[in-house]
Amino acid sequence: MRKITTLSEGWKFLKADVPAETAVNWAERGETVSLPHTWNAVDGQDGGNDYHRGTCWYVRELTAEETVGERLFLEVNGAAHTCEVWLNGERLARHEGGYSTFRVELSGKLAEKNTLAVSVSNEDSDHVYPQKADFTFYGGLYRAVNLIAVPEEHFELLKDGTPGIKVTPVVDLEKKCATVTVETWHNGKSVEITVNGETRTVERCAEFIIENVHLWDGVDDPYLYTATAKLASEDEVSTRFGCRVFACDPEKGFFLNGRSYPLRGVSRHQDRKGKGNALSYEDHKADMAIIRELGANTLRLAHYQHAQEFYDLCDENGIVVWAEIPYITMHMTNGRENTLSQMRELITQCYNHPCIAVWGLSNEITAASAVNEELLENHRALNALCHRMDPTRLTTMANVFMLEIESPILAIPDINSYNLYFGWYLGELEQTDEFFDEYHAKYPERVIGFSEYGADANPAFHSSHPEKGDYTEEYQALYHEHMLRMIEARPYLWATHVWNLFDFAADGRDEGGKHGENQKGLVTFDRSLRKDAFYLYKAAWNKTEPFVHLCGKRYENRCEAETEIKVYSNQNEVRLYVDGTLYGTQSGKTVFRFRVPLLGEHLIRAEVGERSDSMCIRRVSEPDESYIFNKAASSVTNWFDADEIDPNCFSINDTLGEIRANAQAGAMIDAMMAKGASERGDVANAVKDNPALQRMMGRMKLISLLKQGGADEESIKQLNRILQGIRK
Ligand code: GCB
């Protein structure tokens, strides 16, 4: 029998980088905290990049009752990002990596009175990932800390935080049976292993055949088996597992248990407004309920190892998972070993979860690092490690848009993926379509997916002419409508993941009317509000019951004489009522658009079958200023939308590529850019040395490039006047 005691209460917290002895002496003066805990719950979410990054201490006395047991281990499930464990003045362990479990043996070191002092640091480091990324690096003991008391004869606890039991089910779909190999690690002579009612006594490893196997079949039927292992000492471990077959085809995309099963879903970060990353099981469950409501069948658990409870929820809910380590943005010469140890821990600790389909090697690693031999070697080493530890799963990477599709790094993982933000950070929406078409045509034998895409939206901001960069709920919805169509037309994409299901803390950000948040979520950071784009995906993915959603509920005050009413539904016919009278009926799929005259205040109701959704909107004479984020930019927007532009001549609405193709217009633009380049050397050189970026810029409208470069309205107008003087 093992005894697990969760140490939630009774901790003293010291926000001070002091020696261990001082921490213990000062402990009484510290703040009393309970775990899970992060010291950045407030300052990591308020913007300005000034959240506390340093070393802090957690000190606690262990009671006599807590330390009972032949062998005693401390289990730390999440200490971000490095951690040292001290017992009675002696340093017992150091762990580097903020997202995985590690254990330390305390037995042999125990005394009459036992003081545990744990230091945790989220300081900068030259070798522990992550160091550069778009999310807050919360510090703290933010997951459970447990004492595990086991008999002398027990299952292994130390090596890479192993659960001591590893289950590999191999399914024969034709014979409807599974061969299940169960391996265990322990210091006993033999072990009793039970699977599906059959018990075998073996030294370490046993094989079982399950006939008429009940498959783990995604969201529809995520059936789980349990494997249990027991030693003579009664120490026992168990794990659930699932029998399923994952496969990827470059032309047909993802397959689950032999049938086409396009992975369509979202990414998730592990934090929440007001709490940081110190989440409770209830928080995890609430997130999963939202994922099920959305109808997603896959999750990318970015950008690091998530809580075991969350992978458990994915197992139980049939969600196919992409799991990854925080090897992100920037390669560090000294960080090679850390990437390997974080991957070793991820695979050791998560191997048994049937939900996990792929191991992600890195994310946008070439964003701030060159593709050189050192980077390639690190990826090859990671890839080989994954295959050695787990021959049953595929490896992948999330690549940044500017990585050349010819890059040798793309040949390393089993399958590929790109993060693309055309239509948000740069370029036009359609460039996404072109990108995948080109990639797929050039590498028809490679499996390609869409690992990130999204647009920020603050649900306070609205527009009837939504456009890139305006942070409106309407632009986000339009952006995703395009992406949804793009994805539906490309069944070869093995997985697609919206970035992100939830707004999350990125303390370095201060934009879109909020501090410290990345607002690409379909749902707000506090989970209280689902943005319109959430319902677009719900309409496309959730087939469980008829559903209808009216967009623009928060966009109450509108200026125009005729307004667009947009409805999302998973049904094929929508009826629209204005002020109680049937206004129109429309057949279609997912998105339904109506033009409705605005006279005064109107009650709008959309109906499908028995379901309905309503809202109130009104006509106002002046634009409601509270809906506009960037007032300066929006005046430029309105101006360049104007129809006074002669389409027979060049204008800022043409792409850079089109303009360059004309000798006169091209020379003019090149001269202008050369001038800009001498003023902003770094950026210009980055563009010059990156043909992929050049190609992408070629496809961007000049106006987008100018706005992104921060050009003022007057210079944009002047340039447009010159271009309008050149005939096409
Ligand atoms: C990315 C990163 C992700 C960011 C996202 C963004 O490509 O992988 O961590 O949060 O872009 O919103 O910029």
Side-chain angles (χ1 to χ4, degrees):
M1 282 293 281
R2 58 173 59 184
K3 185 176 143 220
I4 302 177
T5 312
T6 300
L7 305 179
S8 321
E9 305 301 328
W11 292 91
K12 287 291 183 185
F13 172 68
L14 287 168
K15 205 174 186 174
D17 185 359
V18 291
E21 200 186 329
T22 317
V24 171
N25 291 338
W26 286 5
E28 270 319 303
R29 280 181 259 167
E31 184 191 341
T32 303
V33 298
S34 53
L35 305 188
H37 176 264
T38 168
W39 61 78
N40 300 119
V42 176
D43 70 3
Q45 310 187 335
D46 59 3
N49 231 350
D50 57 351
Y51 60 107
H52 185 73
R53 295 189 64 186
T55 299
C56 299
W57 285 90
Y58 295 85
V59 181
R60 189 187 189 278
E61 299 295 326
L62 301 179
T63 65
E65 198 192 329
E66 284 165 349
T67 54
V68 172
E70 283 178 56
R71 302 278 295 267
L72 189 72
F73 294 81
L74 182 78
E75 175 180 81
V76 180
N77 284 298
H81 288 182
T82 57
C83 177
E84 290 189 358
V85 175
W86 296 66
L87 183 72
N88 302 330
E90 186 186 345
R91 193 181 93 154
L92 301 187
R94 175 176 170 84
H95 181 258
E96 298 189 330
Y99 305 95
S100 50
T101 293
F102 70 96
R103 303 195 187 95
V104 192
E105 178 152 20
L106 303 187
S107 30
K109 309 284 179 185
L110 292 161
E112 194 78 343
K113 178 172 175 276
N114 291 293
T115 308
L116 185 65
V118 181
S119 76
V120 184
S121 165
N122 64 343
E123 271 160 305
D124 284 343
S125 154
D126 69 350
H127 66 283
V128 181
Y129 287 95
Q131 285 304 320
K132 199 177 164 77
D134 177 36
F135 58 95
T136 295
F137 300 153
Y138 297 103
L141 284 177
Y142 70 97
R143 291 187 194 140
V145 171
N146 299 315
L147 283 174
I148 306 180
V150 289
E152 189 52 46
E153 186 193 61
H154 60 272
F155 289 95
E156 169 69 35
L157 285 154
L158 294 179
K159 192 166 181 329
D160 296 324
T162 174
I165 181 167
K166 179 178 175 189
V167 182
T168 309
V170 176
V171 180
D172 185 327
L173 288 173
E174 265 176 25
K175 294 193 182 133
K176 294 201 174 70
C177 78
T179 307
V180 180
T181 306
V182 183
E183 295 162 89
T184 61
W185 287 263
H186 57 81
N187 58 2
K189 290 207 167 48
S190 64
V191 58
E192 239 179 42
I193 303 180
T194 305
V195 167
N196 201 31
E198 186 190 342
T199 300
R200 313 256 305 273
T201 303
V202 292
E203 218 171 273
R204 198 178 78 78
C205 172
E207 204 177 270
F208 298 81
I209 307 286
I210 305 180
E211 305 284 356
N212 287 318
V213 64
H214 192 158
L215 297 175
W216 184 91
D217 206 21
V219 282
D220 294 335
D221 186 15
Y223 187 82
L224 295 170
Y225 288 93
T226 301
T228 309
K230 201 168 166 182
L231 298 171
S233 66
E234 303 261 290
D235 189 30
E236 188 179 308
V237 287
S238 74
T239 182
R240 293 183 305 182
F241 66 94
C243 298
R244 79 285 183 262
V245 182
F246 293 143
C248 280
D249 181 276
E251 200 53 50
K252 299 186 189 131
F254 194 81
F255 279 70
L256 171 65
N257 299 329
R259 70 171 198 282
S260 163
Y261 191 82
L263 295 179
R264 301 294 176 252
V266 292
S267 288
R268 175 201 187 232
H269 258 303
Q270 57 172 23
D271 69 343
R272 199 183 169 110
K273 181 98 182 159
K275 289 194 159 188
N277 58 354
L279 302 181
S280 67
Y281 184 54
E282 293 308 312
D283 295 327
H284 290 308
K285 275 204 314 206
D287 281 5
M288 182 51 77
I290 296 175
I291 290 155
R292 292 309 305 271
E293 180 193 338
L294 184 68
N297 64 8
T298 181
L299 272 177
R300 177 168 172 223
L301 293 181
H303 281 306
Y304 37 72
Q305 185 174 332
H306 283 228
Q308 284 301 316
E309 297 93 301
F310 203 80
Y311 295 105
D312 284 340
L313 285 166
C314 293
D315 290 343
E316 290 160 16
N317 285 277
I319 302 292
V320 176
V321 166
W322 163 325
E324 67 190 36
I325 55 165
Y327 184 23
I328 179 167
T329 318
M330 177 187 74
H331 170 84
M332 294 186 284
T333 297
N334 298 334
R336 182 180 186 276
E337 176 44 36
N338 190 253
T339 65
L340 295 173
S341 69
Q342 293 209 43
M343 186 61 90
R344 239 178 5 247
E345 291 176 326
L346 175 74
I347 299 179
T348 303
Q349 295 167 24
C350 297
Y351 184 92
N352 296 334
H353 291 288
C355 64
I356 297 175
V358 294
W359 304 116
L361 307 181
S362 63
N363 178 74
E364 300 203 340
I365 201 66
T366 58
S369 302
V371 182
N372 55 26
E373 181 46 32
E374 185 179 302
L375 182 83
L376 293 171
E377 191 282 331
N378 202 147
H379 279 77
R380 278 189 229 110
L382 276 172
N383 197 52
L385 175 72
C386 292
H387 288 147
R388 198 164 59 242
M389 290 185 70
D390 183 1
T392 71
R393 291 184 174 95
L394 299 172
T395 56
T396 190
M397 285 171 66
N399 289 300
V400 65
F401 78 96
M402 57 201 179
L403 178 75
E404 290 273 17
I405 62 175
E406 296 81 14
S407 172
I409 204 165
L410 287 160
I412 296 176
D414 298 322
I415 56 178
N416 287 163
S417 273
Y418 263 89
N419 300 347
L420 301 179
Y421 287 94
F422 297 120
W424 181 246
Y425 290 124
L426 81 173
E428 323 297 332
L429 292 165
E430 298 73 23
Q431 284 180 256
T432 320
D433 318 26
E434 292 164 19
F435 179 93
F436 283 119
D437 290 344
E438 265 182 41
Y439 185 97
H440 189 54
K442 181 152 185 176
Y443 297 108
E445 77 294 354
R446 281 194 193 168
V447 176
I448 180 77
F450 197 9
S451 33
E452 273 182 36
Y453 63 103
D456 291 71
N458 180 333
F461 300 141
H462 301 285
S463 168
S464 293
H465 305 282
E467 74 146 30
K468 182 168 79 179
D470 67 8
Y471 291 87
T472 62
E473 199 176 355
E474 288 71 28
Y475 183 72
Q476 187 192 40
L478 268 187
Y479 171 97
H480 284 292
E481 283 170 30
H482 177 89
M483 293 307 165
L484 184 67
R485 281 195 304 274
M486 187 296 288
I487 289 166
E488 284 176 349
R490 287 166 184 76
Y492 60 80
L493 294 171
W494 72 272
T496 64
H497 292 103
V498 173
W499 188 261
N500 195 293
L501 176 53
F502 304 111
D503 291 346
F504 60 90
D507 207 68
R509 284 184 184 257
D510 187 5
E511 59 183 75
K514 279 196 190 160
H515 304 294
E517 273 185 45
N518 183 314
Q519 296 187 77
K520 292 191 188 68
L522 304 177
V523 178
T524 51
F525 195 16
D526 63 2
R527 279 51 171 172
S528 70
L529 187 152
R530 288 152 174 73
K531 305 177 193 176
D532 283 340
F534 176 91
Y535 295 101
L536 170 74
Y537 288 104
K538 181 172 174 176
W541 294 341
N542 185 331
K543 307 274 182 258
T544 54
E545 50 187 37
F547 138 86
V548 62
H549 171 79
L550 264 172
C551 296
K553 284 202 187 73
R554 284 168 279 276
Y555 185 22
E556 280 177 45
N557 302 323
R558 308 185 184 196
C559 267
E560 58 268 23
E562 193 185 73
T563 197
E564 181 184 83
I565 301 293
K566 198 163 62 181
V567 181
Y568 294 152
S569 174
N570 58 1
Q571 300 300 296
N572 298 330
E573 196 177 89
V574 171
R575 298 185 297 281
L576 192 79
Y577 292 81
V578 177
D579 301 324
T581 310
L582 182 64
Y583 179 79
T585 303
Q586 239 186 70
S587 304
K589 191 173 159 255
T590 319
V591 186
F592 302 80
R593 293 187 151 82
F594 299 85
R595 301 289 310 173
V596 173
L598 271 187
L599 305 169
E601 189 160 86
H602 301 287
L603 179 66
I604 312 285
R605 192 169 85 247
E607 277 186 7
V608 299
E610 308 278 281
R611 305 286 167 130
S612 71
D613 192 22
S614 18
M615 68 179 185
C616 197
I617 54 171
R618 68 186 65 82
R619 174 112 191 247
V620 291
S621 50
E622 292 298 318
D624 187 329
E625 291 272 312
S626 71
Y627 293 160
I628 305 168
F629 162 57
N630 188 345
K631 297 179 180 77
S634 72
S635 67
V636 178
T637 308
N638 296 340
W639 169 78
F640 92 81
D641 270 347
D643 41 4
E644 49 194 66
I645 288 178
D646 177 356
N648 299 317
C649 299
F650 284 98
S651 81
I652 52 168
N653 282 335
D654 294 317
T655 65
L656 186 60
E658 286 160 350
I659 296 173
R660 277 225 168 103
N662 174 288
Q664 194 188 350
M668 201 277 291
I669 281 293
D670 284 344
M672 185 199 88
M673 289 188 121
K675 181 168 169 284
S678 66
E679 283 158 17
R680 297 185 308 272
D682 286 357
V683 186
N685 282 331
V687 175
K688 183 168 82 6
D689 297 339
N690 191 328
L693 205 54
Q694 281 179 23
R695 268 206 308 278
M696 268 152 212
M697 286 175 66
R699 289 179 186 146
M700 285 169 66
K701 286 187 185 167
L702 188 58
I703 180 70
S704 306
L705 283 164
L706 291 167
K707 283 172 112 190
Q708 244 156 265
D712 58 78
E713 184 173 341
E714 205 30 62
S715 26
I716 296 179
K717 279 184 175 172
Q718 196 189 339
L719 187 61
N720 195 56
R721 276 194 294 271
I722 302 174
L723 285 168
Q724 285 276 280
I726 307 173
R727 286 198 77 78
K728 284 187 175 172

